[in-house]
Coordinates of all heavy atoms in Angstrom, one line a residue:
M1 N 148.5 168.4 153.5 CA 149.7 169.1 153.1 C 150.9 168.2 153.4 O 150.9 167.4 154.4 CB 149.8 170.4 153.9 CG 149.5 171.6 153.1 SD 149.9 173.0 154.0 CE 151.0 173.8 152.9
R2 N 151.9 168.3 152.6 CA 153.1 167.5 152.8 C 154.0 168.1 153.8 O 154.2 169.4 153.9 CB 153.9 167.5 151.5 CG 153.5 166.5 150.6 CD 154.0 166.7 149.2 NE 153.1 165.9 148.3 CZ 153.3 164.6 148.1 NH1 154.3 164.0 148.5 NH2 152.4 164.0 147.2
K3 N 154.6 167.2 154.7 CA 155.5 167.8 155.7 C 156.9 167.3 155.2 O 157.0 166.2 154.7 CB 155.2 167.2 157.0 CG 154.4 168.0 157.9 CD 154.2 167.4 159.3 CE 153.5 168.3 160.2 NZ 153.4 167.7 161.6
C4 N 157.9 168.1 155.5 CA 159.3 167.8 155.2 C 159.7 166.5 155.9 O 159.6 166.4 157.1 CB 160.1 169.0 155.5 SG 161.9 168.6 155.2
L5 N 160.3 165.6 155.2 CA 160.8 164.4 155.8 C 162.0 164.6 156.8 O 162.2 163.9 157.7 CB 161.2 163.4 154.8 CG 160.2 162.8 153.9 CD1 160.8 161.9 152.8 CD2 159.2 162.0 154.7
R6 N 162.6 165.7 156.5 CA 163.8 166.0 157.3 C 163.5 166.8 158.6 O 163.9 166.5 159.6 CB 164.9 166.9 156.5 CG 165.6 166.0 155.4 CD 166.4 167.0 154.7 NE 167.2 166.1 153.7 CZ 168.4 165.9 153.8 NH1 169.1 166.1 154.9 NH2 169.0 165.1 152.9
C7 N 162.7 167.9 158.5 CA 162.5 168.8 159.5 C 161.0 169.0 160.0 O 160.7 169.8 160.8 CB 163.2 170.1 159.3 SG 162.4 171.1 158.0
E8 N 160.2 168.3 159.2 CA 158.7 168.3 159.5 C 158.0 169.7 159.4 O 157.0 169.9 159.9 CB 158.5 167.8 160.9 CG 159.0 166.4 161.1 CD 158.3 165.6 162.2 OE1 158.0 166.1 163.2 OE2 157.9 164.5 161.8
T9 N 158.6 170.6 158.5 CA 158.0 171.8 158.2 C 157.0 171.5 157.1 O 157.2 170.7 156.2 CB 159.1 172.9 157.8 OG1 160.0 173.0 158.8 CG2 158.5 174.2 157.4
Y10 N 155.9 172.3 157.0 CA 155.0 172.2 155.9 C 155.7 172.7 154.6 O 156.3 173.7 154.6 CB 153.7 173.0 156.1 CG 152.8 172.2 157.1 CD1 152.6 172.8 158.4 CD2 152.1 171.0 156.8 CE1 151.8 172.1 159.3 CE2 151.4 170.4 157.7 CZ 151.2 170.9 158.9 OH 150.4 170.2 159.9
M11 N 155.5 171.8 153.6 CA 156.2 172.2 152.3 C 155.4 173.0 151.4 O 154.2 173.0 151.4 CB 156.6 170.8 151.6 CG 157.5 170.0 152.5 SD 157.9 168.4 151.7 CE 159.4 168.9 150.7
V12 N 156.0 173.7 150.5 CA 155.3 174.4 149.4 C 155.1 173.4 148.3 O 156.1 172.9 147.7 CB 156.1 175.6 148.9 CG1 155.5 176.3 147.8 CG2 156.5 176.5 150.1
E13 N 153.9 173.2 148.0 CA 153.6 172.1 147.0 C 153.2 172.6 145.7 O 153.1 173.8 145.4 CB 152.4 171.3 147.5 CG 152.7 170.5 148.7 CD 151.4 169.9 149.3 OE1 150.5 170.6 149.5 OE2 151.5 168.7 149.4
D14 N 153.0 171.7 144.7 CA 152.4 172.1 143.3 C 153.4 172.9 142.5 O 153.0 173.7 141.7 CB 151.0 172.8 143.5 CG 150.2 172.6 142.3 OD1 150.4 171.6 141.7 OD2 149.4 173.6 142.0
L15 N 154.6 172.7 142.7 CA 155.7 173.4 141.9 C 156.0 172.5 140.8 O 155.7 171.3 140.8 CB 156.9 173.7 142.8 CG 156.7 174.5 144.0 CD1 157.9 174.5 144.9 CD2 156.3 175.9 143.7
S16 N 156.6 173.1 139.7 CA 156.9 172.3 138.6 C 158.4 172.2 138.4 O 159.2 173.2 138.8 CB 156.4 173.0 137.3 OG 155.0 173.1 137.3
I17 N 158.8 171.1 137.9 CA 160.3 170.9 137.5 C 160.3 171.1 136.0 O 159.6 170.6 135.2 CB 160.8 169.5 137.7 CG1 160.7 169.2 139.2 CG2 162.2 169.3 137.2 CD1 161.1 167.8 139.5
M18 N 161.1 172.1 135.6 CA 161.3 172.5 134.2 C 162.6 172.2 133.7 O 163.6 172.2 134.4 CB 161.0 174.0 134.0 CG 159.7 174.6 134.6 SD 158.3 173.9 133.8 CE 158.4 174.7 132.2
V19 N 162.7 171.8 132.4 CA 163.9 171.7 131.8 C 164.4 173.0 131.6 O 163.7 174.0 131.3 CB 163.7 171.1 130.3 CG1 165.0 171.0 129.6 CG2 163.1 169.7 130.6
S20 N 165.8 173.3 131.9 CA 166.3 174.6 131.8 C 166.1 175.2 130.5 O 166.0 174.5 129.4 CB 167.9 174.5 132.1 OG 168.1 174.0 133.4
N21 N 166.1 176.5 130.4 CA 165.8 177.3 129.2 C 164.4 177.2 128.8 O 164.1 177.1 127.6 CB 166.9 177.0 128.1 CG 168.2 177.3 128.5 OD1 168.5 178.3 129.2 ND2 169.2 176.5 128.2
G22 N 163.5 177.0 129.6 CA 162.0 177.1 129.3 C 161.5 176.0 128.5 O 160.4 176.2 127.8
G23 N 161.9 174.8 128.6 CA 161.4 173.7 127.9 C 160.1 173.1 128.6 O 159.3 173.9 129.2
Y24 N 159.9 171.9 128.6 CA 158.7 171.3 129.2 C 159.1 170.6 130.5 O 160.2 170.5 130.9 CB 158.1 170.2 128.3 CG 157.6 170.8 127.0 CD1 158.3 170.8 125.9 CD2 156.4 171.4 126.9 CE1 157.9 171.3 124.7 CE2 155.9 171.9 125.8 CZ 156.7 171.9 124.7 OH 156.2 172.4 123.5
G25 N 158.0 170.3 131.3 CA 158.2 169.6 132.5 C 158.7 168.1 132.3 O 158.9 167.7 131.2
I26 N 158.8 167.4 133.4 CA 159.2 166.0 133.3 C 158.1 165.1 133.6 O 157.4 165.5 134.6 CB 160.4 165.8 134.2 CG1 161.6 166.7 133.8 CG2 160.8 164.3 134.3 CD1 162.8 166.7 134.9
D27 N 157.8 164.1 132.9 CA 156.7 163.2 133.3 C 157.1 161.8 133.4 O 158.1 161.4 133.1 CB 155.5 163.4 132.3 CG 155.9 163.3 130.9 OD1 156.8 162.5 130.6 OD2 155.3 164.0 130.0
I28 N 156.2 161.0 134.0 CA 156.4 159.6 134.2 C 155.8 158.9 133.1 O 154.6 159.1 132.8 CB 155.8 159.2 135.6 CG1 156.4 159.9 136.8 CG2 155.9 157.6 135.8 CD1 157.6 159.4 137.3
R29 N 156.5 157.9 132.5 CA 155.9 157.1 131.4 C 156.2 155.6 131.7 O 157.1 155.2 132.4 CB 156.6 157.5 130.1 CG 156.2 158.8 129.6 CD 157.1 159.3 128.5 NE 156.8 160.7 128.2 CZ 156.1 161.1 127.2 NH1 155.5 160.3 126.4 NH2 155.8 162.4 127.1
E30 N 155.3 154.8 131.0 CA 155.6 153.4 131.0 C 156.9 153.2 130.2 O 157.2 153.9 129.3 CB 154.4 152.6 130.5 CG 153.3 152.4 131.4 CD 152.2 151.5 130.7 OE1 152.5 150.2 130.6 OE2 151.2 152.0 130.3
K31 N 157.6 152.0 130.4 CA 158.7 151.7 129.6 C 158.3 151.5 128.1 O 157.2 151.0 127.9 CB 159.3 150.4 130.1 CG 160.3 150.6 131.2 CD 161.1 149.3 131.5 CE 162.0 149.4 132.7 NZ 162.4 148.0 133.1
G32 N 159.2 151.8 127.2 CA 158.9 151.6 125.8 C 158.6 152.9 125.1 O 158.2 153.9 125.7
L33 N 158.9 152.9 123.8 CA 158.7 154.0 123.0 C 157.2 154.4 122.9 O 156.4 153.5 122.9 CB 159.3 153.8 121.7 CG 160.9 154.0 121.5 CD1 161.2 153.6 120.1 CD2 161.3 155.3 121.9
F34 N 156.9 155.6 122.7 CA 155.5 156.1 122.3 C 154.5 155.8 123.4 O 153.4 155.8 123.1 CB 155.1 155.5 121.0 CG 156.1 155.8 119.9 CD1 156.6 154.7 119.2 CD2 156.5 157.0 119.6 CE1 157.6 154.9 118.2 CE2 157.4 157.3 118.5 CZ 157.9 156.2 117.9
K35 N 155.0 155.4 124.6 CA 154.0 155.3 125.6 C 153.5 156.7 126.0 O 154.3 157.6 126.2 CB 154.6 154.5 126.8 CG 154.9 153.1 126.5 CD 153.7 152.3 126.6 CE 154.1 150.8 126.5 NZ 153.0 149.9 126.5
T36 N 152.2 156.8 126.3 CA 151.8 158.2 126.8 C 152.1 158.4 128.2 O 152.4 157.5 129.0 CB 150.2 158.2 126.6 OG1 149.7 157.1 127.3 CG2 149.8 158.3 125.2
A37 N 152.2 159.6 128.5 CA 152.6 160.0 129.9 C 151.5 159.6 130.9 O 150.4 159.7 130.7 CB 152.9 161.5 130.0
I38 N 152.1 159.0 132.0 CA 151.1 158.6 133.0 C 150.7 159.9 133.9 O 149.6 160.1 134.1 CB 151.8 157.5 133.9 CG1 152.0 156.3 133.1 CG2 151.0 157.4 135.2 CD1 152.8 155.2 133.8
E39 N 151.7 160.6 134.1 CA 151.4 161.8 135.0 C 152.6 162.8 135.0 O 153.7 162.3 135.0 CB 151.1 161.4 136.5 CG 150.6 162.4 137.4 CD 149.1 162.7 137.2 OE1 148.4 162.0 136.5 OE2 148.6 163.7 137.8
K40 N 152.3 164.0 135.1 CA 153.4 165.0 135.1 C 153.9 165.0 136.5 O 153.2 165.0 137.5 CB 152.9 166.3 134.7 CG 154.0 167.3 134.4 CD 153.4 168.6 133.7 CE 154.5 169.6 133.4 NZ 153.9 170.8 132.9
I41 N 155.3 165.1 136.6 CA 155.9 165.1 138.0 C 155.8 166.6 138.6 O 156.1 167.5 137.9 CB 157.4 164.7 137.9 CG1 157.5 163.3 137.5 CG2 158.1 165.1 139.2 CD1 158.9 162.8 137.4
K42 N 155.3 166.6 139.8 CA 155.3 167.9 140.5 C 156.3 167.9 141.6 O 156.9 166.8 141.9 CB 153.9 168.1 141.1 CG 152.8 168.4 140.1 CD 151.6 168.8 140.6 CE 150.6 169.4 139.5 NZ 149.5 169.9 140.1
C43 N 156.5 168.9 142.2 CA 157.6 169.0 143.2 C 157.2 169.9 144.3 O 156.4 170.8 144.2 CB 158.8 169.5 142.4 SG 159.9 170.6 143.2
A44 N 157.7 169.5 145.6 CA 157.4 170.3 146.8 C 158.8 170.6 147.4 O 159.7 169.7 147.3 CB 156.6 169.5 147.7
V45 N 158.8 171.8 147.9 CA 160.1 172.3 148.5 C 159.8 172.7 149.9 O 158.9 173.4 150.2 CB 160.8 173.5 147.7 CG1 162.0 173.8 148.4 CG2 160.9 173.0 146.3
C46 N 160.7 172.3 150.8 CA 160.6 172.7 152.2 C 161.3 174.2 152.3 O 162.3 174.4 152.0 CB 161.4 171.8 153.2 SG 161.5 172.4 154.8
P47 N 160.4 175.1 152.9 CA 160.9 176.4 152.9 C 162.0 176.7 154.0 O 162.6 177.6 154.0 CB 159.7 177.3 153.2 CG 158.7 176.4 153.8 CD 159.0 175.1 153.3
E48 N 162.1 175.7 154.8 CA 163.0 175.8 156.0 C 164.4 175.3 155.6 O 165.5 176.0 155.7 CB 162.4 175.0 157.2 CG 162.8 175.5 158.5 CD 162.5 177.0 158.6 OE1 161.3 177.4 158.4 OE2 163.4 177.7 159.0
C49 N 164.5 174.0 155.2 CA 165.8 173.4 154.9 C 166.1 173.2 153.4 O 167.2 172.8 153.1 CB 165.9 172.1 155.7 SG 164.9 170.8 155.0
G50 N 165.1 173.4 152.5 CA 165.3 173.3 151.2 C 165.1 171.9 150.6 O 165.4 171.7 149.4
Y51 N 164.8 171.0 151.4 CA 164.6 169.6 151.0 C 163.5 169.6 149.9 O 162.5 170.2 150.1 CB 164.1 168.7 152.2 CG 163.8 167.3 151.7 CD1 164.8 166.4 151.4 CD2 162.5 166.9 151.6 CE1 164.5 165.1 151.0 CE2 162.1 165.6 151.2 CZ 163.2 164.6 150.8 OH 162.9 163.4 150.5
T52 N 163.8 168.9 148.8 CA 163.0 168.9 147.6 C 162.5 167.5 147.3 O 163.3 166.6 147.3 CB 163.6 169.5 146.4 OG1 164.0 170.8 146.8 CG2 162.7 169.6 145.2
E53 N 161.2 167.3 147.2 CA 160.7 166.0 146.7 C 159.8 166.1 145.6 O 159.2 167.1 145.3 CB 160.1 165.2 147.9 CG 158.7 165.8 148.3 CD 158.0 165.0 149.5 OE1 158.8 164.3 150.2 OE2 156.9 165.1 149.5
T54 N 159.8 165.0 144.8 CA 158.9 165.0 143.7 C 157.8 164.0 143.9 O 157.8 163.0 144.7 CB 159.7 164.4 142.4 OG1 160.3 163.1 142.8 CG2 160.7 165.4 141.9
Y55 N 156.6 164.3 143.3 CA 155.4 163.4 143.5 C 154.5 163.6 142.3 O 154.7 164.5 141.5 CB 154.7 163.7 144.8 CG 154.1 165.2 144.8 CD1 152.7 165.4 144.5 CD2 154.9 166.3 145.0 CE1 152.3 166.7 144.5 CE2 154.4 167.6 145.0 CZ 153.0 167.8 144.7 OH 152.5 169.0 144.7
I56 N 153.5 162.7 142.2 CA 152.5 162.9 141.2 C 151.2 163.1 142.0 O 150.9 162.4 143.0 CB 152.4 161.8 140.2 CG1 152.2 160.4 140.9 CG2 153.6 161.7 139.3 CD1 152.0 159.3 139.9
E57 N 150.3 163.9 141.4 CA 149.0 164.2 142.0 C 148.0 163.0 142.0 O 147.5 162.6 143.0 CB 148.3 165.4 141.4 CG 147.5 166.1 142.2 CD 148.1 167.3 142.8 OE1 148.4 168.3 142.1 OE2 148.3 167.3 144.1
N58 N 147.8 162.5 140.8 CA 146.8 161.4 140.6 C 147.5 160.1 140.5 O 148.3 159.8 139.5 CB 146.1 161.7 139.3 CG 144.9 160.8 139.1 OD1 144.9 159.7 139.6 ND2 143.9 161.3 138.3
T59 N 147.2 159.1 141.3 CA 147.9 157.9 141.4 C 147.0 156.7 140.8 O 147.5 155.5 140.8 CB 148.3 157.5 142.8 OG1 147.1 157.5 143.7 CG2 149.3 158.4 143.3
D60 N 145.9 157.1 140.2 CA 145.1 156.1 139.6 C 145.8 155.2 138.5 O 145.6 154.0 138.5 CB 143.8 156.7 138.9 CG 142.9 157.3 140.0 OD1 143.1 157.0 141.1 OD2 141.9 158.0 139.6
K61 N 146.5 155.9 137.6 CA 147.2 155.2 136.5 C 148.2 154.2 137.0 O 148.5 153.2 136.5 CB 147.7 156.1 135.4 CG 146.6 156.8 134.6 CD 147.2 157.7 133.6 CE 146.2 158.5 132.9 NZ 146.7 159.6 132.1
I62 N 148.9 154.7 138.1 CA 150.0 153.8 138.7 C 149.4 152.6 139.3 O 149.9 151.5 139.2 CB 150.8 154.7 139.8 CG1 151.6 155.8 139.0 CG2 151.6 153.8 140.6 CD1 152.7 155.1 138.2
K63 N 148.2 152.8 140.0 CA 147.5 151.7 140.6 C 147.1 150.7 139.5 O 147.1 149.5 139.7 CB 146.3 152.2 141.4 CG 146.8 152.8 142.7 CD 145.5 153.4 143.4 CE 146.0 154.1 144.7 NZ 145.2 155.2 145.0
K64 N 146.7 151.2 138.4 CA 146.3 150.2 137.3 C 147.4 149.4 136.8 O 147.3 148.3 136.5 CB 145.7 151.0 136.1 CG 144.2 151.4 136.3 CD 143.7 152.3 135.1 CE 142.4 152.8 135.6 NZ 142.1 154.0 134.7
L65 N 148.6 150.1 136.7 CA 149.9 149.3 136.3 C 150.2 148.2 137.3 O 150.6 147.1 136.9 CB 151.1 150.3 136.2 CG 151.2 151.1 135.0 CD1 152.5 151.9 135.1 CD2 151.1 150.4 133.7
L66 N 150.0 148.5 138.6 CA 150.2 147.5 139.6 C 149.3 146.3 139.4 O 149.8 145.2 139.5 CB 149.9 148.2 140.9 CG 150.5 147.7 142.2 CD1 151.9 147.9 142.2 CD2 149.9 148.4 143.4
N67 N 148.1 146.6 139.1 CA 147.1 145.5 138.8 C 147.4 144.6 137.6 O 147.2 143.4 137.6 CB 145.7 145.9 138.8 CG 145.2 146.6 140.0 OD1 145.7 146.1 141.1 ND2 144.3 147.6 140.0
K68 N 148.0 145.3 136.6 CA 148.4 144.7 135.3 C 149.4 143.6 135.6 O 149.5 142.6 134.9 CB 148.9 145.7 134.3 CG 148.6 145.5 132.9 CD 149.4 146.4 131.9 CE 148.5 147.7 131.7 NZ 149.3 148.6 130.8
E69 N 150.4 143.9 136.5 CA 151.5 143.0 136.7 C 151.1 141.7 137.5 O 151.8 140.8 137.5 CB 152.6 143.8 137.5 CG 153.4 144.7 136.6 CD 154.2 145.7 137.4 OE1 154.5 145.5 138.6 OE2 154.8 146.6 136.8
K70 N 150.0 141.8 138.1 CA 149.6 140.6 138.9 C 149.1 139.4 138.1 O 148.6 139.6 137.0 CB 148.5 141.0 139.9 CG 149.0 141.7 141.2 CD 147.9 142.2 142.0 CE 148.4 143.1 143.2 NZ 147.4 143.8 143.9
Ligands
ZN1 ZN1 162.8 170.7 155.9

């Protein structure tokens, strides 16, 4: 479980960031047009201080990008 970086309270995870008015979530993509999404961004919120952070669940594709650059 994620702990808040500010106050070390356990965060509420697996939340979604939505475009206002009911659109889609936000995802991470490689640079360039028509690249497929690497992963949808999720969000965790600290119930104590409200600190909000974004993260991705599966980091495999990001790790592959890292290897591509070497
Ligand atoms: Zn906090």
Side-chain angles (χ1 to χ4, degrees):
M1 256 189 122
R2 277 164 200 275
K3 265 188 175 179
C4 178
L5 292 176
R6 287 176 178 258
C7 69
E8 302 208 313
T9 302
Y10 285 111
M11 300 179 87
V12 180
E13 297 173 302
D14 204 25
L15 303 170
S16 301
I17 297 177
M18 303 297 286
V19 175
S20 294
N21 298 322
Y24 296 96
I26 299 168
D27 50 35
I28 300 275
R29 287 167 194 261
E30 276 185 78
K31 271 187 189 168
L33 283 176
F34 308 121
K35 293 279 188 184
T36 52
I38 291 168
E39 189 80 7
K40 195 168 179 181
I41 292 179
K42 290 191 169 181
C43 145
V45 180
C46 173
E48 211 51 55
C49 73
Y51 176 76
T52 301
E53 69 178 25
T54 52
Y55 66 98
I56 58 173
E57 203 95 71
N58 185 340
T59 54
D60 289 350
K61 289 180 185 168
I62 291 293
K63 284 175 185 150
K64 278 179 196 155
L65 284 184
L66 203 65
N67 294 332
K68 212 190 273 181
E69 284 168 12
K70 281 175 188 168

